[in-house]
Amino acid sequence: MVIEDNILRRHDRESQDAVEAGFQAGPLADALASAPVLETRSGLSKEEFDREYRERLRPVVLKGFVKDWPSVQTWSFEHLAQRCPDVQVTVNSYSSKEARTVTFPEFVTLLKENEGNTESPLYLQEWYYQTTAPQIAADMPELEVARYDFRQDLYGEKASTNHQLWLGQEGGVTRLHQDSYSVDVMHAQIVGSKRWYVMGPKAELRLGADGEPDWDGLLGSPETQLHQFDLMPGDLLYLPANWFHRIRLLENSIGLGRKCLDQAHLRVHMKQRMNELLALLLNFDEVKETHPELVPVLMSRSRAFADRLGVDLSRLRP
Ligand SMILES: O=C(O)CCC(=O)C(=O)O
């Protein structure tokens, strides 16, 4: 099994903790204070967006782009509780110790009870609301600038609309990561605000000669392209495939993660899908041994993938 050299891309707990610690103190934390703000535009047409940003793989915040969405105009946690009285959600799903499944109104009660606890904020991550709460979907209308999403052609309607809501409390953090399978991030901020730190796809953190992460090497490289910005209600972020991102909730917040597969990334997307499936299938025992924390994630992703494709897992083609 090949060990990834770039610590930013590693999935083991120790490496992820080291990267997160870098955001709290030390050279990276110091650099964040003066990191440039990401380019922000308003009033862009779809053609301008395609030409100036998507085709050139340049990230941008589209200021106020979704400000007229019903969700941005009317949502609060209480409002959603009324509209989703029986919907089950899994809160803090990224931590096996803290994860708990409750109804949406129970989640809102938990939020109130935990208000002000910025040490252990609650976070409902990656809620695939379209299957469990389709009644709220119309409040986040389809975006003209996101019509290039090729997943619909590739996987059909069901697989291509797996948008995710992220709902959490002030202080909640999503650690630095790249999205899988080379999809672009389009993130619409609905309620509250979040601080994003982003780095280019080739940002690299290696171990130095002293065995510690070489932060100066990361910060000195032109590939790092460290930027920051606060996403406010009504803003839409476009982050091209493989850009690293870390998010901290500045207030109680609701955001919509709406991924897009650019047809330009189709080959690499399929290769990554196949790679993951075959690595799981052919090296299952080794993967279980070397990456035990990844196995349940990969299995549930693969099950969801099969489900969305309508694959009958009981059948093997002779
Ligand atoms: O908002 C967050 O906490 C994470 C969002 C994210 O990672 C995404 O939309 O890709």
Side-chain angles (χ1 to χ4, degrees):
M1 188 82 35
V2 177
I3 303 286
E4 171 65 58
D5 281 336
N6 185 355
I7 302 171
L8 301 180
R9 290 179 194 259
R10 289 191 189 162
H11 293 285
D12 64 281
R13 192 84 205 163
E14 199 187 329
S15 306
Q16 292 191 336
D17 286 350
V19 173
E20 184 54 28
F23 277 92
Q24 315 292 340
L28 174 60
D30 295 344
L32 296 177
S34 56
V37 174
L38 192 74
E39 194 174 352
T40 300
R41 297 284 302 266
S42 44
L44 274 193
S45 68
K46 177 185 174 306
E47 289 68 29
E48 287 167 325
F49 167 70
D50 282 345
R51 196 175 54 241
E52 294 179 35
Y53 297 96
R54 186 160 78 81
E55 285 163 20
R56 295 161 75 180
L57 302 177
R58 279 173 60 187
V60 64
V61 172
L62 302 177
K63 193 83 203 140
F65 202 80
V66 298
K67 67 179 183 340
D68 297 328
W69 273 10
S71 50
V72 177
Q73 295 290 326
T74 62
W75 278 14
S76 62
F77 289 94
E78 291 74 17
H79 170 95
L80 284 180
Q82 281 178 9
R83 298 204 25 216
C84 306
D86 306 315
V87 176
Q88 302 268 321
V89 291
T90 301
V91 183
N92 289 349
S93 60
Y94 286 4
S95 155
S96 52
K97 282 199 203 105
E98 290 169 28
R100 55 196 291 192
T101 300
V102 293
T103 65
F104 197 91
E106 283 166 348
F107 166 55
V108 175
T109 304
L110 289 174
L111 287 177
K112 286 194 189 119
E113 288 168 2
N114 200 45
E115 195 63 54
N117 182 359
T118 46
E119 289 299 302
S120 295
L122 296 168
Y123 208 164
L124 167 50
Q125 298 117 330
E126 300 191 62
W127 176 29
Y128 291 98
Y129 63 94
Q130 281 162 315
T131 41
T132 54
Q135 66 273 24
I136 63 170
D139 288 4
M140 296 160 282
E142 186 52 294
L143 289 163
E144 203 50 42
V145 286
R147 288 215 186 266
Y148 70 90
D149 185 5
F150 197 73
R151 292 177 307 166
Q152 194 144 329
D153 304 65
L154 196 58
Y155 304 128
E157 179 72 25
K158 202 171 160 203
S160 60
T161 52
N162 53 346
H163 307 336
Q164 323 148 347
L165 279 168
W166 299 75
L167 306 94
Q169 265 177 324
E170 180 186 344
V173 166
T174 300
R175 290 177 166 205
L176 190 79
H177 66 283
Q178 293 173 300
D179 281 15
S180 309
Y181 315 123
S182 302
V183 289
D184 301 341
V185 171
M186 285 230 176
H187 197 101
Q189 188 63 19
I190 294 174
V191 171
S193 55
K194 296 199 271 215
R195 173 146 316 152
W196 289 66
Y197 295 110
V198 301
M199 295 185 212
K202 294 191 181 147
E204 193 163 25
L205 177 65
R206 286 173 171 264
L207 283 182
D210 59 357
E212 295 297 319
D214 177 11
W215 297 109
D216 293 338
L218 174 76
L219 294 167
S221 163
E223 299 288 8
T224 300
Q225 302 182 69
L226 177 66
H227 285 81
Q228 58 168 321
F229 52 94
D230 293 346
L231 211 60
M232 310 300 287
D235 293 351
L236 179 72
L237 165 68
Y238 163 71
L239 202 56
N242 298 320
W243 273 69
F244 290 94
H245 44 296
R246 178 201 187 253
I247 294 98
R248 184 164 57 83
L249 276 55
L250 300 176
E251 299 169 276
N252 293 351
S253 154
I254 305 178
L256 172 73
R258 195 251 177 264
K259 313 292 163 163
C260 285
L261 173 62
D262 199 309
Q263 197 176 352
H265 299 139
L266 186 55
R267 276 168 81 115
V268 66
H269 173 84
M270 290 315 289
K271 209 169 158 187
Q272 287 164 339
R273 281 270 184 208
M274 285 301 141
N275 208 316
E276 185 173 286
L277 286 174
L278 293 175
L280 253 193
L281 179 69
L282 301 175
N283 301 320
F284 192 69
D285 293 336
E286 194 183 345
V287 174
K288 237 167 57 180
E289 182 84 8
T290 54
H291 294 74
E293 74 292 346
L294 266 188
V295 171
V297 179
L298 296 180
M299 291 300 282
S300 73
R301 258 199 224 161
S302 301
R303 278 204 196 91
F305 185 46
D307 178 46
R308 291 194 191 112
L309 286 176
V311 172
D312 179 352
L313 294 174
S314 65
R315 268 170 193 273
L316 279 181
R317 206 182 155 89

